[in-house]
Amino acid sequence: MIEMTIESIRVSLRNYQRVVILREQGSDRYLPIWIGPAEADAIAVRLQEQTVARPLTHDLLNNVIGEFGATVQFVIVNDLENDTFFAKISVEHNGQTLEVDSRPSDAIALAVRAGVPIYANESVLDRAGVMLNEEGEEVDGSETPPAVTAEELEKLSAFSDFIDELDLDNLGDNDDPPES
């Protein structure tokens, strides 16, 4: 488990989707996770220490856990399958540790309320983590690109077939201006 901090929450200008950027402590490796607008707002409200008139869903969850005599210990982004991240919330109750499945966005929103660490498995960071240089540009941390799995090749086969069918031999031979 590698401890992460919330670097920022950003909005894509193309599609207005939100992404939470987690940063590995002591490193320039980042883990971007796309999240919904409600979860992004829930995380941002707490990080900016804004007060709300009534508890939000993640406040309610934190309150319920506390009322049952349990405490949130940490959250972890523990898996990545088919471009979907998975997380677990570690809760201690009566000396017993329970792990509860969660979406990463909900786990992170709960973690900021409970004041507990956010972790990521090394395997998740190896597959989805990105290294940034001082200018904020992505850099390749390895000389050899990761191997492509048979499943990934299968998903890309339609694109490969399309590219293979293109006739690029006469590309640029037509000097006629395009019609408008």
Side-chain angles (χ1 to χ4, degrees), residues 5-180:
T5 57
I6 299 172
E7 176 70 20
S8 62
I9 297 174
R10 301 182 186 185
V11 178
S12 168
L13 296 178
R14 282 190 280 182
N15 56 18
Y16 298 104
Q17 287 188 317
R18 275 73 168 177
V19 62
V20 62
I21 309 292
L22 301 179
R23 181 179 184 176
E24 180 179 344
Q25 284 194 347
S27 172
D28 289 330
R29 186 163 54 165
Y30 297 82
L31 183 62
I33 302 174
W34 293 99
I35 62 175
E39 293 79 10
D41 291 346
I43 295 167
V45 161
R46 184 62 181 173
L47 290 177
Q48 296 170 358
E49 299 178 0
Q50 295 177 351
T51 57
V52 292
R54 302 292 300 146
L56 298 175
T57 303
H58 301 94
D59 296 313
L60 174 64
L61 178 58
N62 193 39
N63 293 343
V64 168
I65 290 170
E67 288 297 319
F68 281 113
T71 56
V72 178
Q73 299 298 301
F74 63 87
V75 302
I76 181 167
V77 180
N78 66 317
D79 201 3
L80 172 63
E81 292 179 24
N82 299 323
D83 296 329
T84 301
F85 289 93
F86 294 83
K88 291 198 181 281
I89 301 167
S90 179
V91 178
E92 186 178 306
H93 183 256
N94 292 333
Q96 183 180 11
T97 300
L98 309 167
E99 288 188 345
V100 181
D101 287 327
S102 175
R103 297 182 307 177
S105 56
D106 291 323
I108 293 167
L110 180 60
V112 296
R113 281 158 176 76
V116 299
I118 300 167
Y119 296 104
N121 275 348
E122 179 73 39
S123 62
V124 172
L125 284 165
D126 286 345
R127 291 186 293 178
V130 294
M131 297 291 291
L132 301 179
N133 62 19
E134 292 175 7
E135 291 79 36
E137 299 166 337
E138 187 175 346
V139 294
D140 185 8
S142 67
E143 293 297 320
T144 310
V148 178
T149 66
E151 181 180 327
E152 291 170 324
L153 283 175
E154 179 67 28
K155 288 179 181 178
L156 296 173
S157 66
F159 297 107
S160 298
D161 293 345
F162 173 75
I163 291 169
D164 290 343
E165 292 173 3
L166 291 174
D167 180 13
L168 301 176
D169 294 335
N170 299 324
L171 186 66
D173 287 350
N174 186 356
D175 290 335
D176 296 336
E179 295 180 20
S180 28

